[in-house]
Amino acid sequence: AQSVTQPDIHITVSEGASLELRCNYSYGATPYLFWYVQSPGQGLQLLLKYFSGDTLVQGIKGFEAEFKRSQSSFNLRKPSVHWSDAAEYFCAGLTGGGNKLTFGTGTQLKVEL
Amino acid sequence: DTGVSQDPRHKITKRGQNVTFRCDPISEHNRLYWYRQTLGQGPEFLTYFQNEAQLEKSRLLSDRFSAERPKGSFSTLEIQRTEQGDSAMYLCASSFAGGTEAFFGQGTRLTVV
């Protein structure tokens, strides 16, 4: 079955430190992959997406992600975290017809000042 | 157009009562999706519409759940005889048919007591 896995439930980083959130996928063909961010009580905001081509994709708010087929990974990175980045982050992939999204279980990011 | 809107934002209901949620998608979008998100989990697909046609329903959508999109614009999700296990955030998203980017509303948080 097509799936995405986020191995880290919680991550804490200091403000100004670098960040990497892990995502692994299990898809037969080249997947369409996404990273979303969710602030408390809010909906989901798209950070970035990968379909094909350049494996390093840039997103909003200074985030980037790198698609690595050999590792079945699509990790999210940010060089310097701001306190406002504290939120829950979801990796997702497109599944089947109708463009349904399959989400990972999320990684809760805490930023220490 | 300010994006996808959902109403109400919060709903508390007693077990056994019926509830109905509304979603207004981005006006140009012909696809509309419903997802459910329980605590500590990523959103899970429930159903989607293309225009007024409901094209797919997840096995998560028991016969107590019904969704409509009567004129291909707004959609409603009704839950009959609510159970405590129905407590969750219900998210609506919309997109263009064939589009790969879905835009999410802020969700309706349902609490069944």
Side-chain angles (χ1 to χ4, degrees), chain A residues 5-105:
Chain A
T5 304
Q6 293 179 250
D8 303 306
I9 298 174
H10 297 98
I11 282 187
T12 300
V13 298
S14 299
E15 189 176 35
S18 63
L19 171 70
E20 183 168 26
L21 301 182
R22 295 186 291 166
C23 173
N24 296 104
Y25 66 87
S26 175
Y27 280 77
T30 299
Y32 288 6
L33 296 169
F34 305 79
W35 275 99
Y36 283 87
V37 61
Q38 186 178 37
S39 297
Q42 301 298 311
L44 298 163
Q45 182 182 24
L46 180 66
L47 289 175
L48 48 78
K49 57 189 176 185
Y50 172 77
F51 296 154
S52 64
D54 193 348
T55 56
L56 184 64
V57 293
Q58 303 296 320
I60 63 171
K61 304 184 178 186
F63 286 92
E64 66 179 26
E66 186 170 12
F67 174 74
K68 292 185 177 180
R69 185 185 301 277
S70 61
Q71 298 177 17
S72 297
S73 69
F74 186 58
N75 294 348
L76 182 71
R77 302 193 296 242
K78 186 169 185 178
S80 178
V81 170
H82 188 264
W83 64 266
S84 61
D85 293 324
E88 189 151 25
Y89 291 80
F90 291 96
C91 182
L94 276 182
T95 302
N99 289 349
K100 306 181 299 293
L101 289 165
T102 297
F103 287 86
T105 51

Side-chain angles (χ1 to χ4, degrees), chain B residues 13-16 19 21 36-39 41 44 46 60 62 64-65 79-90 109-113:
Chain B
T13 190
K14 292 183 178 180
R15 189 174 51 188
V19 294
F21 311 140
R36 182 175 70 186
Q37 183 180 21
T38 53
L39 277 177
Q41 299 297 316
E44 296 172 292
L46 291 178
L60 293 174
S62 76
R64 295 185 298 106
F65 288 69
I79 308 175
Q80 296 182 325
R81 305 181 303 281
T82 52
E83 301 173 356
Q84 286 191 318
D86 298 330
S87 295
M89 174 81 88
Y90 290 84
R109 179 164 296 283
L110 173 66
T111 303
V112 182
V113 297

